[in-house]
Amino acid sequence: MADSFADSGVYIVKVIFGLYGLLVMVRFLMQIARVDFYNPICQGIVQITEPALKPLAMLFPTIRGVNLATLVLAFLITLASLMLISMLLGYSAFQPFFLAWVALALFGQILDIYFWALLIMVISSWIAPHSGHPALNLVQQLTEPLCTPARKLLPPMGGLDLSIILVFLAITVTERIVIIGLMQTLGIPPGFVMGL
């Protein structure tokens, strides 16, 4: 019974903190990509994340249009979820190595966001190639900082943009070498930390 309670608690923590942390990380990437914040989806993300971000924004500066408080908030959300999961499973609430785990989890989450955004972009190019839907506009603007350098290496040929394959390859190699390698080095159990 206790194991069932702990498993349910872990699931709830992962869902609630995971979804909110994902929105915060998307907001951080939106700032980096300089997306159109008049997009209704962007405005929704800003409204949801603003209450938690406002106190941190007074402490951390904005550098070149990127609010560092957003990254700090994502870090704190992931750390809080890790500490709660650890307590629910009967371990110590905090260990110093949790900080390294959280940093790696955030990096993994960024790679996951870009992977799924690129996949959505590819599928939408087949289904609705000239759609002006706000979600597709956001995905296109979000992935542009990755796709632009790849297009310089592999320009579009015959109307096909194969540069996305390079980006997918770079993300996959980075996940396999960096993320999985560091997970093993740091001793992170699979599924214990959100984003990994």
Side-chain angles (χ1 to χ4, degrees):
M1 181 71 172
D3 287 342
S4 176
F5 175 74
D7 289 344
S8 299
V10 167
Y11 179 75
I12 291 168
V13 167
K14 283 186 176 182
V15 168
I16 293 171
F17 283 77
L19 288 174
Y20 196 75
L22 177 68
L23 290 175
V24 171
M25 189 54 72
V26 168
R27 179 173 175 166
F28 175 71
L29 295 176
M30 285 171 18
Q31 293 171 349
I32 290 174
R34 309 251 190 270
V35 302
D36 175 18
F37 275 83
Y38 290 107
N39 182 323
I41 295 174
C42 295
Q43 289 179 358
I45 291 171
V46 168
Q47 286 178 351
I48 292 169
T49 57
E50 191 65 25
L53 193 60
K54 198 173 268 189
L56 290 172
M58 291 185 265
L59 300 173
F60 295 95
T62 299
I63 300 173
R64 295 185 183 189
V66 177
N67 189 349
L68 293 181
T70 312
L71 189 58
V72 171
L73 179 59
F75 188 91
L76 292 175
I77 289 168
T78 307
L79 180 61
S81 71
L82 178 58
M83 291 169 63
L84 283 171
I85 290 169
S86 183
M87 287 189 313
L88 286 168
L89 295 177
Y91 300 112
S92 173
F94 178 78
Q95 296 291 332
F97 55 80
F98 282 2
L99 301 176
W101 289 15
V102 170
L104 184 62
L106 291 180
F107 183 63
Q109 191 175 37
I110 289 170
L111 292 178
D112 286 344
I113 290 169
Y114 279 130
F115 178 85
W116 290 106
L118 286 167
L119 191 61
I120 290 168
M121 209 168 87
V122 168
I123 292 171
S124 68
S125 72
W126 297 335
I127 297 172
H130 303 292
S131 174
H133 192 278
L136 297 179
N137 289 339
L138 173 60
V139 166
Q140 192 274 330
Q141 292 172 355
L142 202 61
T143 57
E144 200 57 33
L146 292 180
C147 294
T148 300
R151 280 190 201 104
K152 291 179 183 174
L153 293 173
L154 188 62
M157 294 178 277
L160 291 173
D161 186 6
L162 300 176
S163 62
I164 293 176
I165 294 171
L166 287 178
V167 180
F168 269 123
L169 186 63
I171 289 172
T172 304
V173 168
T174 304
E175 279 187 332
R176 295 205 179 198
I177 293 174
V178 177
I179 302 292
I180 294 174
L182 284 175
M183 277 181 68
Q184 292 170 348
T185 304
L186 296 172
I188 304 174
F192 195 74
V193 184
M194 293 181 309
L196 298 177

